[in-house]
Amino acid sequence: MLLEQHKADIDAIRSRYAERRSAVLPLLYIAQDVYGHLSDAAIREVAEILDLPPTDIFEVAGFYTLFYTREVGKWVIQVCDDVPCCYLGAEELITALKDTLGVKEDETTSDGMFTIQRVKCLAACHRAPVVQANLDYFYDVTADKVDALLHALRERAARGDTLSVSGHRAEDYEIAADGSAQMIERRLGPMPASPAVGAPVDHETSAGS
Amino acid sequence: MALAEHIVMRELDVPDIANFDVYRKHGGYETYRTVLKEKAPSDIVQVVRDAGLRGRGGAGFPTGVKWSFLPKDVYPRYLVCNCDESEPGTFKDHQIIDLNPHQLIEGMAISAYAIESHTAYIFARGEFATAVRTLEYAIAQAYAAGILGKNILGTGYHLDMYVHRGAGAYICGEETALLEALEGRIGQPRLKPPFPAVSGLYGKPTIINNVETLANVPLIVERGADWYRSFGTTRSPGTKVFSLSGHVNRPGNYELPFGVPMRELIYSPEYGCGMRDDRPVKIIVPGGASSPWLLAKHLDVTLDYESMTAAGSMLGAGSMIVLNDTVSAPHAAYKMDEFFKHESCGKCTPCREGTHWLVRVLHRMTEEGHARPEDIPTLHSIYNQMAGNCFCLLGESAVTPIKSALSLFPQEFEDLVPQRNGRPMIALDAKR
């Protein structure tokens, strides 16, 4: 089923590597998004597509923390509890999340909406405490912003946004003073229309305008 | 004093430099064009060598020297950009990709040409899902403009560039574990030698450089080694992006020439703006969780590879965590070793078992409040059994926090042991 549904993606991934095994991680991400988590059947399917022993794929799925071999919520909320986050409000944040949702670490709420986890450094220590939800970054999330965070996530789920626990649609957010989650825009500009083969860039007329 | 012009964080000089058109307008990819049309690969290796560029991932190994380790006449060769930034306190590569991605891509393209490679991978940690999307879009822009792909800029040179996402494992920052993950296996390090330059990805010669290292390349090649050496010190030339975090008023990334005192980074109104609530500095972790701790008395040590080593620590990736006097040293050691325990790949016994027992003892002492008199010699014994015996640097790094804490703050460990009538009291907890 994966192969039929995502043939173009899978073919593109395979073409990037000299050896087919290199496609294991990208394909596991696709399988995880399609099935919500990596069930035994999903892992076997990846093994079959790549013609590799299933044991090898089970080993990989079990090793990496972003592969979920058990069912998770629509949103996987991951809170950094490392130094320095832990000294700047992460512990209070985790307590607030647990109290509000009535679950403990690595548990999912009964409505299947949220799974919460403690994770290690997320490489944004200057904006501690840092949280990821399906790998969307949320910066400066102190305990008083828990309600705003959960509200924003519930709204997006209710809007029917196709959520990707693997982060294929991930964006960066800040929680504004009014409690709304504001996306931090990527500012890469438009895709160039045609190849500028050999032609020097005209500094006067090109872009920026 | 702030830099008049930045080499890596050029978004501070050119607003919106992440935008492809803005990058082009300010000379972006022109160095790459000149290189392809006028320079031989060996010219590029030479200028990077002469500039004295040192690897920014933590080890500080000279980049040009690393490139010259490639065996002659063995192809294909691969270039891999290490973007597995995961060490507590490190967040510079993340920002380079967010705010100046095309400079990284140009640096990779020039470096790939220099080492005669036609395939380059960016290995990004799995949590960098947004950065991966940024990179994939920026790479697509470069392809669309004919900067990547076949017959680049009409020169006949071809280069493909791909992003490979990891899936959550700090160990993949270790270059051979990274290659295992890129080959679709679990991230456990390989025995060295052979080093990746000789036998790397798919057994082929492979150069692995950090994001910041590669982002330095375009300006070095454009302006030359002498210009680059006008920044920094003789043995640590150029500038460095320092990630400052912890109990400072203004945490963030700051690009400084090598050789600036730590005090300036922490207290200058241009950078850290001093300590929160004016509390005193207690612990400085100058180069990420694996660097030995320094104290307030070291504030005048300068930020370059040699001075940091002379002061008993290391510059690492320039990731400085500053903690104030509200933090307990045993607890900080517990948190940092908990990180290494979590990230231990399980391949070798000293690291897998050592980090487990360090954390178990430290947890009992700090979180449970059941310290026993024998815990302190036990901690010394555990880290001494790890030091020098681990397969890779992760296990060796786990020794650092506990060793630093025990040697700098021994009394804080003693104070955790409950006393009665001046003698240590043995706790009768259920977990014995």
Side-chain angles (χ1 to χ4, degrees), chain A residues 11-130:
Chain A
D11 287 348
I13 288 164
R14 284 203 274 205
S15 74
R16 294 174 195 163
Y17 307 104
E19 291 186 10
R20 67 177 188 280
R21 188 185 292 270
S22 283
V24 169
L25 270 64
L27 258 62
L28 284 173
Y29 273 130
I30 292 180
Q32 179 161 275
D33 268 350
V34 169
Y35 299 114
H37 74 289
L38 290 173
S39 62
D40 286 5
I43 292 169
R44 285 180 199 283
E45 204 177 341
V46 169
E48 196 174 314
I49 292 170
L50 293 174
D51 192 21
L52 291 168
T55 329
D56 293 12
I57 316 299
F58 276 100
E59 184 188 31
V60 170
F63 182 83
Y64 294 100
T65 57
L66 293 179
F67 292 137
Y68 311 127
T69 49
R70 286 185 298 177
E71 276 190 58
V72 289
K74 284 199 176 96
W75 289 104
V76 180
I77 301 180
Q78 298 174 316
V79 186
C80 172
D81 75 344
D82 224 325
V83 179
C85 279
C86 73
Y87 296 126
L88 294 164
E91 287 302 324
E92 294 81 351
L93 171 64
I94 292 167
T95 306
L97 272 171
K98 283 164 39 174
D99 290 350
T100 308
L101 295 174
V103 289
K104 293 205 274 288
E105 289 95 335
D106 298 313
E107 289 181 356
T108 303
T109 53
S110 54
D111 60 357
M113 186 63 76
F114 300 111
T115 302
I116 60 172
Q117 295 182 336
R118 286 173 180 264
V119 293
K120 294 298 159 195
C121 190
L122 293 173
C125 320
H126 57 323
R127 304 203 64 181
V130 184

Side-chain angles (χ1 to χ4, degrees), chain A residues 105-181:
Chain A
E105 289 95 335
D106 298 313
E107 289 181 356
T108 303
T109 53
S110 54
D111 60 357
M113 186 63 76
F114 300 111
T115 302
I116 60 172
Q117 295 182 336
R118 286 173 180 264
V119 293
K120 294 298 159 195
C121 190
L122 293 173
C125 320
H126 57 323
R127 304 203 64 181
V130 184
V131 172
Q132 288 194 320
N134 289 4
L135 306 181
D136 286 355
Y137 268 103
F138 287 84
Y139 298 117
D140 307 308
V141 188
T142 39
D144 56 308
K145 292 179 181 160
V146 160
D147 288 339
L149 171 71
L150 296 177
H151 177 73
L153 297 179
R154 276 204 184 94
E155 264 201 336
R156 280 169 61 193
R159 270 207 307 273
D161 277 2
T162 311
L163 305 180
S164 155
V165 286
S166 300
H168 282 121
R169 297 156 59 84
E171 299 283 358
D172 291 356
Y173 292 87
E174 292 171 304
I175 296 174
D178 66 358
S180 62

Side-chain angles (χ1 to χ4, degrees), chain A residues 15-19 21-22 24-26 29 59-60 63-67 81-84 86-88 91 118 120-126 132 135 137 139 166-172 186-192 194-201 203 206-208, chain B residues 16 18-21 24-25 30 33 78 85-86 88-91 94 98 101 121 125-130 133-134 137 140-141 144-145 153-154 162 164-168 181-187 202 245-247 251-252 276 327 331-332 335 338-339 342-343 345:
Chain A
S15 74
R16 294 174 195 163
Y17 307 104
E19 291 186 10
R21 188 185 292 270
S22 283
V24 169
L25 270 64
Y29 273 130
E59 184 188 31
V60 170
F63 182 83
Y64 294 100
T65 57
L66 293 179
F67 292 137
D81 75 344
D82 224 325
V83 179
C86 73
Y87 296 126
L88 294 164
E91 287 302 324
R118 286 173 180 264
K120 294 298 159 195
C121 190
L122 293 173
C125 320
H126 57 323
Q132 288 194 320
L135 306 181
Y137 268 103
Y139 298 117
S166 300
H168 282 121
R169 297 156 59 84
E171 299 283 358
D172 291 356
R186 241 185 288 272
R187 301 161 69 107
L188 299 169
M191 198 54 72
S194 61
V197 180
V201 185
H203 288 197
S206 72
Chain B
D16 272 334
N19 182 304
F20 178 77
D21 294 331
R24 290 282 273 165
K25 199 176 173 186
E30 290 302 302
R33 171 198 305 281
Y78 293 104
E85 184 171 59
S86 316
T90 314
F91 47 89
H94 188 183
D98 276 355
Y121 295 98
R125 64 179 294 191
E127 292 84 351
F128 279 176
T130 47
R133 294 184 72 192
T134 301
Y137 187 86
Q141 287 178 312
L153 304 168
Y162 307 108
H164 185 90
R165 228 181 113 192
L182 186 44
E183 291 185 7
R185 298 189 181 86
I186 63 172
Y202 310 128
S245 66
H247 292 123
R276 281 190 179 196
V327 171
H331 188 264
K335 290 304 293 187
E338 196 196 23
F339 167 79
H342 186 266
E343 300 298 343
C345 76

Side-chain angles (χ1 to χ4, degrees), chain B residues 256-335:
Chain B
L256 307 174
F258 283 107
V260 169
M262 293 198 289
R263 184 187 302 280
E264 189 171 334
L265 177 62
I266 297 170
Y267 285 98
S268 162
E270 288 173 284
Y271 313 121
C273 296
M275 297 294 286
R276 281 190 179 196
D277 307 323
D278 289 326
R279 296 198 78 98
V281 169
K282 177 170 176 177
I283 299 165
I284 303 171
V285 192
S290 47
S291 61
W293 299 359
L294 297 176
L295 304 170
K297 68 177 180 189
H298 296 109
L299 278 167
D300 291 312
V301 174
T302 55
L303 290 160
D304 53 81
Y305 294 104
E306 291 68 40
S307 305
M308 279 295 163
T309 308
S313 187
M314 58 187 227
L315 190 76
S319 338
M320 186 186 291
I321 308 172
V322 188
L323 300 174
N324 69 20
D325 61 336
T326 62
V327 171
S328 134
H331 188 264
Y334 158 65
K335 290 304 293 187

